[in-house]
Amino acid sequence: MTARTAFWGRLLPVLAALACLTRIPSFVSPLWNPDEGYLAVQARLLAEGGRLYENVVDRKPPLLPWLYEAVFAVCGQGSLAPLRVLAVLAQLLTAVLLASLARRRWDDRAGRTAGVLYLLVSVGLNPEDAQAATFEVFILPCTAAAVWCADRGRWGAAGAAVAAAFLTKQTGGAVLLPVAWLLHRKGAPLAGAGRLAAGFAVPVLGVALATDPAGFLFWTVTGSTAYASFSGSELQALVRATANTAILAAASAGLLVPIARALRTTRGGAADLWLWLASSAVAVTLGFHFFGHYYLQLTAPLALLATEALQILPAQRCVAAVLTSACCCTLFLTWGLLAPRPELVHVQRLAAALEQRTAPTDRVLVWGIHPETYWLADRMPATRYLTAGLLTNYSGGRDGTQVGEKYAVAGAWPVFRREMGAHRPALVVDDSQGKPYAPGRVPGLRRLLAAGYEEVGTVDGAVLYARVPAE
């Protein structure tokens, strides 16, 4: 048995067990956050013949909606458990790639350390951010693969991995910075740069052509100007950034301490790893929303930087780092298993009301920020805009200063009005509950309700409006 085979034969079962253990909370809830619900509804619309960026829309690239669609086609649409299994595999693949990078750069102990530290810190956020099977979890193996390929001079594959990260979520493309640095450091000729560019461009152009090129450009790049502005919401953004930074810092205590100790005695840290961390921090900042799941992109470079720092510190520091990270991980797993889910309970009650008051073939409109209501109720939305955020700009967690019809996605309201005329919803659920996108502040919705709906009840503060039969 070769040393390489022996190394992986011992490490892979450990990483696999740890990946499963750290993702146990993800299986205890049918949904963790609205992104999962949005993706589930998109997948159903695609299965019914919808087309991305035409009548199925979001401000995201298409890989994850397609993945949800494929999994639903194979496993059925009633549960996200198969997606959660894929999330476990994504985390395991990320850990393996980081272990391989660390082993190549340093030694076997570094490989084991990097893989274990990454998995321990990977759940160090609010469970609704860390345990959901959404964008950042599936970005991580792509970004790790990009750096892994670049470290070996495989520039075409590195470009393809960057493309996969970008096509999962735009911020995944930030890993291009450390990849480009490795290209420069290795003194690769122009051919290497050409292969890197081609590896990135071919998949992106292929996906654009497979959808709608103009729609792809609009929904992934040019159509999010208002969403990416935080004017008027500075305090809210600052509070969220501070809170989520503090949560990840607490979870990463076992990593940050050796990094700080190493920096006091040496310059430490390969430039590409620091660039990876810096580019990931920029990705967290883009849009100025600072949601917790954005911070997952920081975990991979942090694990490698901590691993490098531990190479120059006494061996007992490595043990302390792993034990500290394990204790922090245990706290976050306990949080995930025991934390109450009041929002989920609310959405489940709404879904039950929709099922009770409508037929399976009816279209409905949920005016709120919980698209998962459609999926849980097994009802088709009356519009391509699955949240009120796309029609008011509230989806970015705004306060009331830049929320309203004029801040909607460009051209959304004419399309919305046409869809409401083409297939009027049998039931409208106003789930705004006094927030800045309530009907009283949205004339278009107010006119829709006044033109043919009557209030028929409430559920947890949400108001139900039924269509008035034509005379």
Side-chain angles (χ1 to χ4, degrees), residues 48-72:
E48 294 291 328
R51 286 183 56 81
L52 276 171
Y53 312 124
E54 294 181 21
N55 49 17
V56 181
V57 299
D58 191 17
R59 294 184 175 102
K60 299 292 192 303
L63 286 195
L64 209 50
W66 283 342
L67 178 63
Y68 268 62
E69 180 190 10
V71 170
F72 279 3

Side-chain angles (χ1 to χ4, degrees), residues 357 426-430 439 448-459 461-468:
R357 291 179 175 271
L427 193 72
V428 175
V429 179
D430 170 24
L448 169 70
L449 294 174
Y453 289 85
E454 62 180 1
E455 183 177 334
V456 294
T458 61
V459 177
V463 184
L464 309 181
Y465 295 89
R467 187 173 62 209
V468 176

Side-chain angles (χ1 to χ4, degrees), residues 101-469:
L101 270 166
R103 181 173 183 262
R104 173 180 166 87
R105 293 190 177 198
W106 301 296
D107 55 25
D108 284 4
R109 190 190 77 170
R112 293 189 292 270
T113 301
V116 169
L117 285 179
Y118 168 73
L119 288 172
L120 291 174
V121 79
S122 67
V123 294
L125 288 163
N126 188 315
E128 70 180 38
D129 296 308
Q131 295 292 342
T134 53
F135 300 96
E136 283 75 15
V137 169
F138 292 99
I139 284 175
L140 288 164
C142 301
T143 56
V147 177
W148 188 93
C149 292
D151 192 58
R152 288 159 172 76
R154 301 175 185 177
W155 304 115
V162 175
F166 172 80
L167 291 170
T168 302
K169 188 180 178 184
Q170 298 93 318
T171 54
V175 77
L176 183 61
L177 183 59
V179 168
W181 170 259
L182 285 169
L183 177 68
H184 166 73
R185 192 186 72 181
K186 290 178 178 294
L190 289 178
R195 290 196 296 273
L196 177 64
F200 176 80
V202 170
V204 173
L205 290 175
V207 165
L209 292 173
T211 55
D212 168 49
F216 174 83
L217 180 64
F218 176 81
W219 283 101
T220 61
V221 181
T222 63
S224 300
T225 304
Y227 180 84
S229 169
F230 75 139
S231 177
S233 299
E234 293 88 346
L235 181 60
Q236 190 172 10
L238 179 61
V239 170
R240 188 183 296 120
T242 302
N244 286 319
T245 300
I247 292 172
L248 183 60
S252 305
L255 283 63
L256 298 179
V257 171
I259 292 174
R261 287 181 180 276
L263 286 175
R264 285 206 301 265
T265 58
T266 179
R267 292 179 64 186
D272 61 311
L273 300 184
W274 285 106
L275 283 173
W276 191 359
L277 182 64
S279 64
S280 298
V282 170
V284 170
T285 304
L286 285 177
F288 304 103
H289 298 299
F290 301 104
F291 292 125
H293 48 90
Y294 292 9
Y295 286 74
L296 287 173
Q297 283 188 251
L298 300 172
T299 54
L302 276 175
L304 283 178
L305 284 168
T307 299
E308 187 198 35
L310 291 168
Q311 301 310 298
I312 61 174
L313 294 173
Q316 61 266 31
R317 297 292 183 191
C318 184
V319 175
V322 172
L323 288 177
T324 301
S325 297
C327 291
C328 293
C329 179
T330 301
L331 292 175
F332 280 93
L333 292 181
T334 303
W335 183 7
L337 290 170
L338 301 181
R341 302 292 317 285
E343 282 200 357
L344 176 61
V345 173
H346 170 74
V347 173
Q348 288 172 325
R349 289 173 179 166
L350 281 184
L354 282 177
E355 284 188 280
Q356 181 182 5
R357 291 179 175 271
T358 61
T361 56
D362 285 338
R363 298 265 187 161
V364 298
L365 172 65
V366 178
W367 185 257
I369 56 174
H370 292 290
E372 60 268 35
T373 309
Y374 295 114
W375 180 66
L376 290 171
D378 194 17
R379 295 295 184 267
M380 292 291 283
T383 175
R384 69 191 67 185
Y385 305 114
L386 303 183
T387 70
L390 294 174
L391 292 158
T392 64
N393 196 43
Y394 187 79
S395 57
R398 301 290 178 195
D399 56 22
T401 53
Q402 285 200 357
V403 175
E405 289 185 32
K406 69 177 181 178
Y407 300 109
V409 172
W413 274 95
V415 172
F416 177 73
R417 284 191 287 269
R418 287 198 301 271
E419 290 176 333
M420 292 300 99
H423 30 74
R424 294 179 64 206
L427 193 72
V428 175
V429 179
D430 170 24
D431 195 27
S432 58
Q433 302 195 46
K435 294 185 176 66
Y437 60 91
R441 300 179 60 176
V442 183
L445 181 66
R446 195 164 62 245
R447 286 192 294 269
L448 169 70
L449 294 174
Y453 289 85
E454 62 180 1
E455 183 177 334
V456 294
T458 61
V459 177
D460 279 356
V463 184
L464 309 181
Y465 295 89
R467 187 173 62 209
V468 176

